């Protein structure tokens, strides 16, 4: 849902802080559901993910409307329904309403438990509100929730990140998503960096925090099942897992991406263009045809990010390409450096290889 109360200084996602068209957007997404009801070719919908923006801004009536539209067009055999939520939106009433609608998993955008860092990021919540949100979520009966954190905030040492991670682990969520602070050009952070008012942390500093994250989370019983995602056994995010495994998905609303198993595409990153198109009963979807090599490379890129890795045999069966033969030298080199693991069935990244995931995938691209 492309609406937020205020702009975080690091965020380059599509959103607006003008909330005057929220209900019109909800109604239009409902209509888009109808217009695109055949996109998944009658494949079952296992998961629903309300992302953003800030979907926790929606009223229970608006959420109910969207869920009813999904039932009408795609059935209701759901295994997971996730709502991204800011801590300051977790009132007792909201939590009760979300649970009654069938939402069973919360993804909490906490980012940091340090007051000074939250203010720098321009987050709307305080550290105290973050802790209270977790407590309220549990009291409301939510058994599945994830905490989002950001590491790599420039500092003289690793104290900020270690304190954030320790607090997150102390709260015992079933899932932690952690991302490095990235400077994007059109954000406030990007403009400050360009003007010399902000200096991002060095790569080595960020890498050290990533390695600390790996070691500390493993000690606390979390499995790094994807580069940025850590879950207790049985608490991996099903929605994201399906994405990394190449399961088709339908994205709705401005800037949303979709994938039908062979080709992908996205809606325009413009609220006005999206609303105009839906108002004319037109699907504002810009398709991107994937060549055979595109499909293989997508499989390599997403699969290598996970503990399940990629299966050269599946690639041979699905695409007719012998990856081990065509990339024999690259596999041997990467394995020799300790970054890539070949167990006789799958290729996967080592813990150190995860720091270089994109460049390793690129070496294996067809």
């Amino acid at each position: 849902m492309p609406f937020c109360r205020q702009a975080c200084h690091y965020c380059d996602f599509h959103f607006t802080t003008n909330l005057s068209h929220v209900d019109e957007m909800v109604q239009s997404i409902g209509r888009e559901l109808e217009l695109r009801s055949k996109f998944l070719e009658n494949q079952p919908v296992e998961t629903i993910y309300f992302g953003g923006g800030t979907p926790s801004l929606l009223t229970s009536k608006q959420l109910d409307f969207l869920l009813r539209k999904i039932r009408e067009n795609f059935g209701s055999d759901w295994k997971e329904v996730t709502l991204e939520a800011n801590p300051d939106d977790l009132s007792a009433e909201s939590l009760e309403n979300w649970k009654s609608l069938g939402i069973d998993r919360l993804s909490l955008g906490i980012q940091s438990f340090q007051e000074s860092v939250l203010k720098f990021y321009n987050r709307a919540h305080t550290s105290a509100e973050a802790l209270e949100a977790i407590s309220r979520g549990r009291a409301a009966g939510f058994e599945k929730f994830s905490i989002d954190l950001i590491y790599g905030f420039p500092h003289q040492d690793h104290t900020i990140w270690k304190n954030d991670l320790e607090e997150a682990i102390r709260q015992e969520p079933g899932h932690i998503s952690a991302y490095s602070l990235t400077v994007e050009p059109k954000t406030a952070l990007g403009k400050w960096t360009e003007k010399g008012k902000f200096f991002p942390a060095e790569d080595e500093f960020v890498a050290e925090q990533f390695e600390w994250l790996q070691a500390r989370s493993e000690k606390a019983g979390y499995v790094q099942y994807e580069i940025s995602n850590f879950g207790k056994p049985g608490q991996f995010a099903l929605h994201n897992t399906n994405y990394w495994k190449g399961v088709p998905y339908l994205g709705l609303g401005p800037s949303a991406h979709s994938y039908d198993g062979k080709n992908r595409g996205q809606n325009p990153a413009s609220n006005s263009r999206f609303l105009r198109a839906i108002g004319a009963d037109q699907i504002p979807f810009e398709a991107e045809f994937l060549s055979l090599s595109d499909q293989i490379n997508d499989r390599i890129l997403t699969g290598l990010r996970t503990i399940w890795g990629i299966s050269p045999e599946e690639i041979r069966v699905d695409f007719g390409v012998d990856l081990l033969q065509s990339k024999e030298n690259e596999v041997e080199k990467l394995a020799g450096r300790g970054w890539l693991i070949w167990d006789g069935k799958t290729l996967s990244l080592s813990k150190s290889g995860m720091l270089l995931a994109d460049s390793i995938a690129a070496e294996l691209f067809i």
Side-chain angles (χ1 to χ4, degrees), residues 68 84 95 124 142 144 150 179 209 270 274 317 329 351:
R68 281 192 291 108
E84 287 186 355
L95 287 160
F142 281 92
K144 294 190 292 184
I150 295 175
Y179 307 94
Q209 295 201 349
S270 165
F274 175 82
V317 171
N329 292 336
K351 287 189 179 297

Side-chain angles (χ1 to χ4, degrees), residues 110 112-115 118 125-133 167:
I110 288 175
S112 176
F113 291 97
Q114 314 301 312
E115 210 65 50
L118 291 173
H125 68 276
T126 65
S127 178
E129 285 175 325
L131 295 172
E132 180 64 22
E167 184 59 66

Side-chain angles (χ1 to χ4, degrees), residues 240-252:
N240 291 345
T241 297
N242 285 345
Y243 166 80
W244 292 310
K245 289 186 174 182
V247 175
Y249 57 89
L250 172 62
L252 301 158

Side-chain angles (χ1 to χ4, degrees), residues 10 24 29-30 65 67 94 100 113 119 126 131 145 172 195 226 230 254 276 283 311 315 328 330:
Y10 54 80
E24 182 184 3
I29 291 175
F65 169 78
L67 288 168
S94 293
S100 69
F113 291 97
K119 288 180 180 178
T126 65
L131 295 172
F145 68 92
E172 297 186 314
K195 294 177 180 179
E226 192 272 340
F230 303 76
R276 281 198 305 270
I283 299 174
S311 165
I315 289 177
E328 180 180 2
E330 289 83 353

Side-chain angles (χ1 to χ4, degrees), residues 142-161:
F142 281 92
E143 297 178 359
K144 294 190 292 184
F145 68 92
S146 178
I147 286 177
D148 280 6
L149 297 175
I150 295 175
Y151 61 91
F153 185 83
H155 193 60
Q156 61 186 7
D157 56 30
H158 297 304
T159 305
I160 288 176
W161 174 234

